[in-house]
Amino acid sequence: MSSTTLYGGVSGRRVTVRDLAAAKERGERWPMITAYDAMTARVFDAAGIPVLLVGDSAAMVVYGYDSTLPVTVDDLLSLTAAVVRGSSRALVVADLPFGSYQTSPGQALESAARFMKEAGAHAVKLEGGRRVVPQVEALVSAGVPVMAHLGLTPQSVNALGGYRVQGRGEAGDELMADAKDLERAGAFSVVLECVPADLAERVTASLSIPTIGIGAGAATDAQVLVWQDMMGLTPSPARFVKRYADLGAELDRAARAFADEVVGGSFPAPEHTYS
């Protein structure tokens, strides 16, 4: 992988956490996109996206909940397995859902082991700062690569008082300390969600591991978006989302055209019919 770029490169093998570390050393930015099924995973993988995240955002965009909290390990296992089967190059990261790792390092390892053994995930992601350092240490010691997540942590939305920008003022110093603690614990990267751009820039400069921004400005080492948000399927996306397509409108157009042809009797036509 070192002879090619991380994004869009061709290597004949999966991207690894070492490749991500090497990209940081080269100053090379890279994209991460969520995926929840084999077909979209195949598309994103073929497009050269080096990291696919099976996020607990599936609670909302797949299962229809109004937050990430209700989704379970069993809910995400089948989605993760599908993404692994649908991809051949991307590093597949599985979110550890709420309630699957907070109790103890042992619980975290048990949950992560299921994602690695049953779904074929290559890494896991968990939310929180210093309070989850023991979990990160236990997972890394067991050979599980860990992506950390700071700032707006959706699993803690009730404690945070809603979906709000995090890390302003003195809270920025706490986030910086959390990031350094997670790096020392062995996390291979850290997501920074909804934090001031200047704070994200300082955290990125202070860490040797990659930072992945979502609503954190342009200075992070990587960027991640939920694919339904960036493709125009979400009615009211967050401010940090840029729409790269309007699949919602296209799906609506296609569904109406199909329905009109069925009602009018023009579909199926002779070319769609067996003699």
Side-chain angles (χ1 to χ4, degrees):
M1 189 76 66
S2 60
S3 62
T4 63
T5 59
L6 185 62
Y7 162 61
V10 177
S11 64
R13 64 167 175 82
R14 292 276 184 179
V15 171
T16 69
V17 297
R18 292 185 65 184
D19 296 320
L20 304 183
K24 167 121 181 171
E25 292 179 3
R26 295 193 301 268
E28 178 189 343
R29 292 189 172 94
W30 46 273
M32 178 167 79
I33 303 178
T34 63
Y36 314 97
D37 65 86
M39 295 186 75
T40 52
R42 187 172 296 115
V43 171
F44 299 151
D45 193 64
I49 305 300
V51 184
L52 298 177
L53 171 65
V54 186
D56 58 3
S57 48
M60 295 174 283
V61 299
V62 175
Y63 294 111
Y65 296 113
D66 61 3
S67 77
T68 65
L69 298 180
V71 77
T72 67
V73 169
D74 287 336
D75 289 334
L76 295 182
L77 277 174
S78 59
L79 304 187
T80 303
V83 171
V84 172
R85 288 192 294 267
S87 60
S88 61
R89 178 178 179 267
L91 175 79
V92 178
V93 182
D95 250 335
L96 295 185
F98 178 74
S100 70
Y101 62 91
Q102 288 90 344
T103 299
S104 68
Q107 183 199 31
L109 181 55
E110 181 179 347
S111 298
R114 293 194 65 192
F115 280 103
M116 306 287 281
K117 290 166 66 69
E118 298 176 36
H122 311 120
V124 299
K125 182 172 77 65
L126 50 73
E127 296 181 3
R130 279 161 283 185
R131 63 184 173 80
V132 298
V133 162
Q135 282 88 330
V136 174
E137 290 175 338
L139 292 176
V140 173
S141 295
V144 180
V146 178
M147 178 180 288
H149 187 152
L150 293 172
L152 173 57
T153 47
Q155 293 177 12
S156 303
V157 64
N158 292 324
L160 296 174
Y163 297 97
R164 305 165 57 187
V165 174
Q166 303 295 310
R168 286 177 171 149
E170 294 182 359
D173 295 332
E174 296 178 9
L175 189 146
M176 176 71 79
D178 282 340
K180 291 182 176 180
D181 284 345
L182 289 164
E183 180 181 36
R184 282 191 289 268
F188 73 88
S189 61
V190 57
V191 173
L192 301 175
E193 181 169 359
C194 286
V195 302
D198 61 336
L199 173 61
E201 184 173 9
R202 287 191 286 117
V203 172
T204 300
S206 71
L207 298 182
S208 62
I209 60 175
T211 58
I212 304 157
I214 177 166
T220 53
D221 299 300
Q223 297 288 332
V224 61
L225 285 176
V226 172
W227 84 257
Q228 289 90 341
D229 290 347
M230 63 182 286
M231 301 298 184
L233 291 177
T234 305
S236 301
R239 173 181 176 177
F240 55 73
V241 173
K242 178 177 179 178
R243 286 190 171 184
Y244 289 86
D246 193 356
L247 296 190
E250 186 62 14
L251 287 171
D252 179 80
R253 183 205 62 75
R256 291 175 185 273
F258 166 67
D260 289 344
E261 291 188 4
V262 170
V263 172
S266 62
F267 178 83
E271 63 266 29
H272 308 119
T273 305
Y274 297 104
S275 60

